[in-house]
Amino acid sequence: MKYHPTLVASLHCQENAAPTDWETTFRRLVLFDLAADMELGFFLSYYRNFAIPSIAATLHANAEIQQRPIKRSYDTALVLYELIACGLDSDRGCRTLLHRTRCPDEHHSDARHLL
C-alpha cells in the first residue's frame, strides 16, 4: 500500500516526538492530519451536552439553544479550537478557560462539565 507523503511525514514526526511534545503532536493531528475527523467529532460531542441532565437543564434555563443555536455551536467550537491552537498553558488558552469558568452557571458549583 502506498501512503500519501504528508501522512508518512506526520507518522515520522509522531514516532520521533519527545514525550514532552505531546501538545504539539496533538495540535498537528487535530488541525491538519485529522481535521475532517476532528470536525465530525466536534459535531458528535456537541450533542453530548443534551445527554447530561444537569447541562441540558442549564442550556434550557438560559434559552441559549432555543434562541441562538448556531451562535452556541460556533462559540463552543471557538473555545475548543482556541485551546487546541494556542495550548492550555498559553496566555490565550488561560484567558479562554478563565472566561468560560467565570460565566454564570446557576446549576453548577464547579467547571468539570465544561471540558
Side-chain angles (χ1 to χ4, degrees):
M1 177 182 280
K2 187 168 178 138
Y3 293 102
H4 193 278
T6 57
L7 293 177
V8 173
S10 177
L11 178 61
H12 180 71
C13 287
Q14 292 173 45
E15 290 176 337
N16 295 313
T20 55
D21 289 340
W22 67 268
E23 198 170 25
T24 302
T25 302
F26 177 75
R27 185 176 299 116
R28 180 181 174 151
L29 283 170
V30 168
L31 297 178
F32 303 105
D33 298 341
L34 302 173
D37 299 285
M38 173 59 182
E39 186 175 357
L40 175 62
F42 168 74
F43 285 118
L44 293 174
S45 68
Y46 177 75
Y47 293 106
R48 169 190 167 271
N49 294 323
F50 304 105
I52 300 173
S54 58
I55 297 174
T58 300
L59 294 172
H60 180 72
N62 69 21
E64 185 80 11
I65 294 297
Q66 299 94 311
Q67 295 173 7
R68 302 180 296 177
I70 293 174
K71 181 186 183 308
R72 168 70 184 186
S73 178
Y74 287 170
D75 288 350
T76 302
L78 287 170
V79 167
L80 287 175
Y81 279 105
E82 186 75 22
L83 292 173
I84 292 168
C86 297
L88 299 173
D89 294 330
S90 69
D91 288 341
R92 289 176 66 159
C94 289
R95 283 196 308 270
T96 299
L97 286 173
L98 286 173
H99 169 73
R100 183 57 192 115
T101 57
R102 278 196 303 252
C103 292
D105 191 342
E106 61 197 46
H107 298 284
H108 302 284
S109 60
D110 63 21
R112 287 178 296 170
H113 68 283
L114 300 174
L115 304 173

